[in-house]
Amino acid sequence: MKKYHAVMNRIYLLVIVVAIFTGCQKNSNTSPSSANSRVDGRVDSVLALMTLEEKIGQLTLFTSDYDVTGPTIRENYKDDIKAGKVGAIFNAFGADYTRKLQEIAVKETRLHIPLLFGYDVIHGHRTIFPIPLGESCSWDLNVMQQSARIAAEEASAEGLHWTFAPMCDIARDPRWGRMAEGAGEDTYLGSRIAEARVKGFQGEGIGALNSVLACVKHFAAYGAAQAGRDYHTTDMSDRVLREVYLPPYKAAIDAGAATVMTSFNELDGIPATGNKYLMTDILRKEWNFTGFVVTDYTSIMELLPHGIAEDTASAAALALEAGVDMDMQAGFYNDALEKLVKEGKLKEGLIDEAVRRILRKKFELGLFDDPYRYSNVEREKSTVMKKEFLDAARDGARKSIVLLKNEKQVLPLSKSIKRLAVIGPLADARREMIGSWSAAGDWTKAVTLLEGIKAAVTSSTQVLYARGCNINDDTTKYFAQAIQTAKQADVVVLAVGEAALMTGEAASRTALDLPGVQQKLVEEIQKTGKPMVVVLSNGRPLTINWINDNIPAIVETWFLGTQAGYAIADVLFGDYNPSGKLTVTFPRAVGQVPIHYSMKNTGRPMDANNKYTSKYLDESNEPLYPFGYGLSYTTFTYGDISLSSPQITQQDELKVTCKVTNTGKRAGEEVVQLYIHDLVGSVTRPVKELKNFQKIMLQPGESKEITFTITQHDLSFYRKDMSFGVEPGKFEVYIGGNSRDLKKAAFMLR
Ligand code: NOJ
């Protein structure tokens, strides 16, 4: 009899499971809201079948053994899948491998619930694009959307459903190595870029076969780590949090981002992973976020050393009650939640809510229709590293390059220089080119600068090469050969900078100089008197004052990805006229940090003739290169600003126009930037705030009238009482090609 019941139960279960799987087949005639309620219905029917242990399994994300960024405390993850203790796996990719793992979940667990596969697809999956900070310097939202799109195409063809990107952390401290993964220092630009990247990853929508779920990270204010030290404390006013740090995350969520990742840091004394104010009050109640929240790597476990929870159970409860749905890699939900519920210390309803949010995404991805739909070997083969993807990577890379200096027209170089010396530890550094966080990118396929140059020049050019030194040690033994090589050449291209892994996670620095003996190498090569170009590869601003003072041409290339060498050569030889602009201020000294263009004026603005004003004894206040700065092989001039009206009311918009002319001899692109300054407020306002920009192309001699519309939203801020809105008074408006050299006009808001 017992046996009969067991068999009948099994049959009953199967019938329900089949109904759930088939019930969610796509029906193109359904409206979005009826589709939503159909998904909700399916989610609830699965939930109704689940044991508490199975529910907790869905809240658990473990790494596979493919690729990890921290301790792999669960080596037996395949057993965990079988036991229904894990609902999602990260760091596993490849159509074949993901299919194998999926088979375990689908065939060997009681409810056959498919796994979700996540991975850090940050700047490309197989075809690697520039590091996000570099790419942001293109100020080209289409380029950024497109690179995320291609990353999603490749990742989804390899069985992935979910990327842990975009990183939307505003970063104003270059000591913090993770600055490389974001969009720089500016809130407005960071917000626009966050939107573009989400749109790229999620494409036509969740469930499209070539899309992946985006994950907005690291929520919140991870970029404000004290002293630029990774994982360190952040502490700021609610005003700064809302005005500077939150908008890019919000923009990404408004663009439809499906998931959010907590940050490692604490904020106002509460670690983000246990922070209800962030995860529930702001994210869900204020912003109406309906996706799910995942922790960063082992973050629930880290609530113990943070000193906010004394054991596994209290850490797990704190995180769940704060609004965290999925536990990445700590295993604390697995270990503690069931007991907490059984002891009546935690409401099962909270777990149900979290499970619903996660299952909903699995349904939306179509995994209940076909758990293997993203794991298709044929599609994988025909998708990854397609020619058109490589072309897009080259185009995005050259658009990300920033020309920092070009005196005596050293650049562009002629393709028929007789002897060209390519020197430096980053000249032929294949591994470095793809940068940090390069996912499944195969560095052996990256193009080095030396290769790019060789491919660009004509047969009459002899390309010489010397390494000169290593990136980060004291050895000067290769100097002599490098100097000799330089002496034989007509022009020297000297490639210096950082190793890829000197930025990214856990890569903070206290100095922003060129590491190792590279500065000495530059000085020695400069003594040869040869015309010289310094090509920089780095993931953060560097303090390169000596180079700026002594070398005629400097090209900032960041880490440009798979096609790096070709892209740099395109710029060096003028096949592409550089158009990138810095999205982060370059300080003159690390002691100026944090330095950004949108500072406050202070009560004692800097006055060189008055000691008691806000300045340094040993360095100017000015950056080496300001935010928004970057040169071209042509020149642009800006006419005076004209306004649609000298005053507006709180119902009006203002049109601001400026004529931009290409005064040089080559066609070129310019990023026309609009800033405002609210002169007097109930709280002080930054001296400048970027509010819009347009990237335009001008032929030699061509002029264009550029018009921006300033809205009331652009003029709004968190006022004294924390309400968001405008205050009447005088505003200044600026237009120009960087945050320093600007035309100015003024208007009144009545
Ligand atoms: C830690 C990083 O902070 C986060 O950005 C990343 O997504 C996870 N590790 C997973 O690899």
Side-chain angles (χ1 to χ4, degrees), residues 89-334:
I89 291 285
F90 68 122
N91 294 330
F93 53 88
D96 199 40
Y97 189 49
T98 51
R99 175 176 282 269
K100 280 192 185 123
L101 295 180
Q102 192 68 292
E103 273 173 2
I104 305 178
V106 171
K107 294 188 180 155
E108 299 187 44
T109 64
R110 193 181 73 95
L111 288 179
H112 321 286
I113 299 175
L115 291 168
L116 185 71
F117 292 107
Y119 191 44
D120 288 283
V121 179
I122 310 288
H123 53 112
H125 178 59
R126 293 282 182 185
T127 305
I128 300 300
F129 291 81
I131 56 167
L133 179 64
E135 197 186 48
S136 71
C137 293
S138 71
W139 294 59
D140 189 326
L141 299 172
N142 293 330
V143 158
M144 291 180 251
Q145 183 166 337
Q146 177 67 1
S147 77
R149 184 86 291 281
I150 291 172
E153 292 250 5
E154 290 189 337
S156 61
E158 294 219 331
L160 290 166
H161 311 131
W162 182 25
T163 175
F164 303 140
M167 178 175 120
C168 304
D169 304 318
I170 293 297
R172 297 179 163 181
D173 188 334
R175 293 172 297 182
W176 190 58
R178 298 208 78 172
M179 172 180 267
E181 286 173 62
E185 72 184 41
D186 187 59
T187 304
Y188 170 78
L189 183 60
S191 303
R192 302 280 306 271
I193 291 175
E195 275 161 23
R197 289 183 169 146
V198 169
K199 285 187 199 154
F201 287 127
Q202 296 192 172
E204 282 169 15
I206 300 166
L209 204 53
N210 59 359
S211 292
V212 290
L213 307 178
C215 183
V216 177
K217 70 188 192 184
H218 305 83
F219 195 65
Y222 183 37
Q226 282 175 7
R229 177 150 62 79
D230 207 5
Y231 316 121
H232 205 352
T233 309
T234 68
D235 198 8
M236 62 181 63
S237 64
D238 204 42
R239 183 181 309 287
V240 171
L241 176 70
R242 287 174 179 274
E243 190 166 299
V244 177
Y245 288 88
L246 293 188
Y249 308 112
K250 166 89 164 47
I253 286 162
D254 289 345
T259 71
V260 167
M261 185 186 292
T262 67
S263 54
F264 284 124
N265 56 283
E266 67 166 68
L267 183 69
D268 192 19
I270 318 274
T273 301
N275 197 318
K276 196 169 190 173
Y277 176 58
L278 287 176
M279 302 306 155
T280 299
D281 297 347
I282 294 182
L283 196 56
R284 298 201 187 278
K285 294 192 182 152
E286 285 183 36
W287 297 357
N288 298 319
F289 173 66
T290 55
F292 71 82
V293 175
V294 63
T295 71
D296 202 342
Y297 209 104
T298 58
S299 287
I300 301 184
M301 185 164 84
E302 292 168 28
L303 295 174
L304 305 183
H306 267 297
I308 194 107
E310 58 185 359
D311 54 26
T312 308
S314 49
L318 185 64
L320 192 78
E321 281 169 347
V324 171
D325 303 306
M326 191 184 275
D327 170 358
M328 182 196 286
Q329 198 58 18
F332 273 31
Y333 278 1
N334 237 317

Side-chain angles (χ1 to χ4, degrees), residues 660-728:
V660 185
T661 307
N662 180 345
T663 44
K665 295 199 178 69
R666 298 177 55 115
E669 290 156 282
E670 170 71 333
V671 180
V672 183
Q673 302 159 39
L674 173 92
Y675 298 85
I676 62 148
H677 180 194
D678 184 347
L679 295 185
V680 179
S682 60
V683 293
T684 60
R685 307 300 305 138
V687 290
K688 271 169 212 154
E689 293 175 89
L690 182 74
K691 289 295 172 184
N692 213 333
F693 65 92
Q694 289 181 36
K695 189 165 185 175
I696 57 165
M697 165 62 100
L698 290 176
Q699 297 303 317
E702 190 188 1
S703 296
K704 264 188 194 153
E705 296 270 344
I706 303 301
T707 299
F708 294 103
T709 302
I710 297 182
T711 65
Q712 295 293 320
H713 186 269
D714 294 332
L715 305 177
S716 298
F717 61 98
Y718 289 95
R719 295 172 290 205
K720 192 174 177 188
D721 63 359
M722 287 305 285
S723 62
F724 186 75
V726 294
E727 284 178 353

Side-chain angles (χ1 to χ4, degrees), residues 535-726:
V535 171
L536 296 168
S537 293
N538 43 289
R540 55 160 63 82
L542 297 176
T543 45
I544 48 160
N545 305 358
W546 189 94
I547 294 179
N548 182 61
D549 293 343
N550 294 281
I551 306 293
I554 308 170
V555 183
E556 174 58 76
T557 72
W558 313 106
F559 294 106
L560 291 176
T562 310
Q563 299 292 83
Y566 294 143
I568 304 171
D570 285 343
V571 164
L572 293 181
F573 295 103
D575 292 329
Y576 179 75
N577 186 359
S579 63
K581 302 271 190 174
L582 297 177
T583 56
V584 62
T585 304
F586 270 48
R588 303 182 60 83
V590 70
Q592 293 177 308
V593 167
I595 180 171
H596 52 96
Y597 81 91
S598 54
M599 306 286 282
K600 298 288 183 79
N601 210 28
T602 82
R604 294 186 176 198
M606 167 22 222
D607 173 355
N609 300 318
N610 183 349
K611 174 173 165 53
Y612 295 99
T613 59
S614 183
K615 59 181 189 290
Y616 300 100
L617 290 176
D618 56 353
E619 186 52 272
S620 108
N621 283 8
E622 293 307 309
L624 184 60
Y625 306 115
F627 174 85
Y629 170 86
L631 303 172
S632 159
Y633 294 149
T634 189
T635 46
F636 300 98
T637 56
Y638 285 74
D640 288 335
I641 296 176
S642 66
L643 304 175
S644 56
S645 168
Q647 63 180 54
I648 56 170
T649 71
Q650 294 183 27
Q651 278 70 48
D652 298 333
E653 293 182 338
L654 181 72
K655 301 262 185 233
V656 186
T657 304
C658 180
K659 187 157 135 188
V660 185
T661 307
N662 180 345
T663 44
K665 295 199 178 69
R666 298 177 55 115
E669 290 156 282
E670 170 71 333
V671 180
V672 183
Q673 302 159 39
L674 173 92
Y675 298 85
I676 62 148
H677 180 194
D678 184 347
L679 295 185
V680 179
S682 60
V683 293
T684 60
R685 307 300 305 138
V687 290
K688 271 169 212 154
E689 293 175 89
L690 182 74
K691 289 295 172 184
N692 213 333
F693 65 92
Q694 289 181 36
K695 189 165 185 175
I696 57 165
M697 165 62 100
L698 290 176
Q699 297 303 317
E702 190 188 1
S703 296
K704 264 188 194 153
E705 296 270 344
I706 303 301
T707 299
F708 294 103
T709 302
I710 297 182
T711 65
Q712 295 293 320
H713 186 269
D714 294 332
L715 305 177
S716 298
F717 61 98
Y718 289 95
R719 295 172 290 205
K720 192 174 177 188
D721 63 359
M722 287 305 285
S723 62
F724 186 75
V726 294

Side-chain angles (χ1 to χ4, degrees), residues 52 56 311-314 316-317 321 335-348 351:
L52 182 55
I56 295 164
D311 54 26
T312 308
S314 49
E321 281 169 347
D335 294 344
L337 292 187
E338 190 173 359
K339 187 155 177 269
L340 282 168
V341 171
K342 289 194 170 144
E343 286 171 353
K345 292 184 181 149
L346 193 79
K347 292 196 192 100
E348 188 167 349
I351 295 180

